[in-house]
Amino acid sequence: MNKELMEALNILEKEKEISKETLFEAIENSLLTACKNHFGKSDNVKVEIDRETCDFLCYAEKEVVEEVEDPVLQLSLEQAREIKSDAGIGDVLHVEIKSKEFGRIATQNAKNVILQKIREEERSVIYNQYFEKEKDIVTGIVQRYIGRNISINLGKADGILNESEQVRGENFNPTERIKVYIIEVKNTPKGPRILVSRTHPELVKRLFEAEVTEIKDGTVEIMSIAREAGSRTKMAVRSNNPNVDAVGACVGVNGVRVNSIVEELRGEKIDIINWDENPGNLIQNALSPAKIVAVFADPDERTAKVVVPDYQLSLAIGKEGQNARLAARLTGYKIDIKSETQAKDAPGFRYEDYMDEYDEYDEDYDGEYGEEYEEESVDGSEIQYEMEPSDEEME
């Protein structure tokens, strides 16, 4: 039994995750290459390796002839009788080839064939391993800056964090551990090229899936995410279990769950809202923390007109329009926000007709705050809003 070869194959299979069968095939091909270099051809050469003992046999099939014209393919009757006493003309005999007789060049070529196969299989294993993790998050170690890009060690391969996928203001030190989202894994002649991101909205989604058990088991579902990396993220969630509060599950006790994600994102603010199939309610939730007076949503045109109190206009729009912009991305609606004063002066809004109905409803309202109210607008589209308690009533 060839113990040294068996031990070497076991080590390669364990460390490189290359199957022994693949390595056996590489050895067979290397011996065939050595025979071709040594004899000039290998069409009649066969290699057999015992998978259990690693013992191998290399032989050439040669035909017995009266007059030898090609010694590589033919044997004389006299030579054949030395191998097999009853050999006759026309028989095909197996003539063993001693690999120790190969020259230096043939041996070196055989070695190169094996090494090349090992490298190819190693690259293939790494590619398959990280291709399965595409569109997922992994933990990497910052190695070095390559220009404005960053090399991230992901374990068995390095990922590239391009400048366009970096969050503005984030600085990393070598050996620092960070979580990144794998955008794409490409197979190249030099090995897999892995592109990672810190700005992708899916990074936030995967972080919540890892942190929140209810999301992982499907009880709570993330319906939509809008993100401006490094600044703010809005996420809409819904619960598939009436006994589970979707927002509360994501926030955690004393905010422990969401805070761990905020810490990983270096202080990025995260707004978590309840998803609603009703576009009016969804838009109202998306514009939080601003209070909304009325929402006119057109599902066909995917547009919405929103009325807010005068003192809430800047809050609804947000700094540099961020709150409104993220709400639009989250809901998929083009949102036009106006204050009550602006709405009264906008003829297309028909704000006066709506407020007459609102005042009448408000006088007769005797329920609890937070209940929904729906009515038909002048153009027949549905209007939804949810009444909010005043600051005094909250106190």
Side-chain angles (χ1 to χ4, degrees):
M1 181 175 178
N2 197 331
K3 292 184 179 180
E4 291 182 357
L5 179 58
M6 179 64 78
E7 290 176 0
L9 296 180
N10 288 333
I11 292 172
L12 283 171
E13 185 176 44
K14 184 177 181 180
E15 293 184 355
K16 305 291 187 181
E17 297 184 10
I18 303 174
S19 67
K20 280 195 285 189
E21 183 60 34
T22 300
L23 295 170
F24 281 130
E25 292 176 0
I27 294 172
E28 290 173 352
N29 291 332
S30 70
L31 289 172
L32 290 173
T33 301
C35 288
K36 187 172 183 179
N37 291 328
H38 187 72
F39 299 110
K41 60 178 69 175
S42 61
D43 297 340
N44 63 325
V45 177
K46 304 293 182 184
V47 179
E48 295 179 358
I49 301 179
D50 190 317
R51 268 51 172 173
E52 300 296 329
T53 64
C54 286
D55 292 331
F56 64 90
L57 175 63
C58 185
Y59 62 88
E61 294 179 340
K62 295 186 179 183
E63 184 182 1
V64 181
V65 296
E66 292 182 358
E67 185 177 347
V68 177
E69 296 179 357
D70 187 346
V72 177
L73 301 175
Q74 298 172 336
L75 274 176
S76 67
L77 182 59
E78 183 180 348
Q79 291 172 320
R81 292 283 172 86
E82 292 177 0
I83 299 172
K84 187 179 180 182
S85 59
D86 59 348
I89 302 299
D91 292 347
V92 176
L93 300 182
H94 292 176
V95 181
E96 185 178 356
I97 300 173
K98 300 293 184 180
S99 59
K100 292 182 180 180
E101 298 176 358
F102 293 158
R104 181 179 60 82
I105 296 177
T107 305
Q108 185 65 36
N109 289 338
K111 175 184 175 182
N112 291 338
V113 169
I114 296 176
L115 293 177
Q116 179 64 23
K117 185 63 176 179
I118 291 174
R119 283 193 290 266
E120 289 176 0
E121 285 300 314
E122 186 177 5
R123 286 196 293 264
S124 178
V125 167
I126 294 174
Y127 170 78
N128 292 332
Q129 180 179 344
Y130 285 96
F131 183 76
E132 292 176 357
K133 296 180 180 180
E134 196 175 67
K135 313 302 181 187
D136 203 351
I137 60 170
V138 293
T139 301
I141 300 175
V142 177
Q143 285 190 310
R144 62 188 181 279
Y145 279 82
I146 306 174
R148 295 187 177 181
N149 301 332
I150 304 175
S151 175
I152 311 290
N153 184 290
L154 304 177
K156 294 184 178 181
D158 292 341
I160 300 298
L161 182 61
N162 291 325
E163 182 185 11
S164 59
E165 299 297 335
Q166 297 174 28
V167 177
R168 185 178 299 177
E170 276 191 349
N171 295 308
F172 304 110
N173 299 317
T175 72
E176 187 174 357
R177 288 182 174 271
I178 60 172
K179 292 186 183 297
V180 292
Y181 178 78
I182 298 180
I183 305 173
E184 185 180 24
V185 181
K186 297 179 180 179
N187 203 1
T188 68
K190 294 184 179 180
R193 177 178 171 82
I194 305 171
L195 302 178
V196 298
S197 173
R198 285 278 295 176
T199 62
H200 204 286
E202 287 290 311
L203 173 64
V204 178
K205 182 177 181 180
R206 297 301 183 192
L207 288 172
F208 271 99
E209 288 175 352
E211 185 70 28
V212 182
T213 308
E214 290 81 357
I215 294 178
K216 194 171 184 178
D217 63 21
T219 304
V220 174
E221 189 175 356
I222 298 175
M223 302 301 295
S224 180
I225 288 182
R227 184 185 183 201
E228 290 190 358
S231 178
R232 193 173 183 183
T233 292
K234 280 184 179 286
M235 184 174 75
V237 296
R238 74 174 180 186
S239 174
N240 296 319
N241 184 338
N243 297 321
V244 176
D245 176 25
V247 174
C250 295
V251 173
V253 180
N254 296 325
V256 64
R257 288 177 169 178
V258 71
N259 286 341
S260 67
I261 296 172
V262 169
E263 184 178 350
E264 174 62 38
L265 298 177
R266 310 295 177 94
E268 182 176 317
K269 296 178 181 178
I270 300 178
D271 296 342
I272 306 172
I273 68 165
N274 282 309
W275 173 267
D276 200 306
E277 296 295 338
N278 187 313
N281 294 339
L282 178 61
I283 292 169
Q284 176 174 292
N285 294 342
L287 287 170
S288 64
K291 295 181 179 180
I292 309 300
V293 174
V295 177
F296 301 77
D298 187 342
D300 296 329
E301 297 292 331
R302 304 293 291 181
T303 60
K305 297 179 180 180
V306 178
V307 179
V308 299
D310 290 356
Y311 69 95
Q312 291 276 296
L313 181 60
S314 60
L315 181 62
I317 295 174
K319 184 180 180 181
E320 298 178 352
Q322 185 185 66
N323 192 54
R325 188 165 57 249
L326 287 174
R329 292 181 193 169
L330 187 74
T331 61
Y333 277 70
K334 184 178 179 181
I335 301 175
D336 180 17
I337 303 176
K338 293 185 183 296
S339 67
E340 290 180 288
T341 301
Q342 292 171 336
K344 290 176 182 178
D345 298 333
F349 238 78
R350 303 306 298 271
Y351 177 74
E352 298 84 350
D353 295 341
Y354 177 79
M355 288 310 296
D356 289 342
E357 296 290 339
Y358 171 78
D359 292 338
E360 182 179 346
Y361 173 80
D362 192 38
E363 290 174 1
D364 298 334
Y365 182 73
D366 205 16
E368 295 182 0
Y369 286 101
E371 293 187 0
E372 296 174 4
Y373 173 62
E374 301 180 358
E375 69 174 49
E376 290 288 322
S377 67
V378 176
D379 60 358
S381 62
E382 194 175 45
I383 304 171
Q384 307 88 13
Y385 72 94
E386 186 174 337
M387 294 190 62
E388 297 281 352
S390 64
D391 294 338
E392 294 80 2
E393 290 163 331
M394 286 294 289
E395 293 175 358

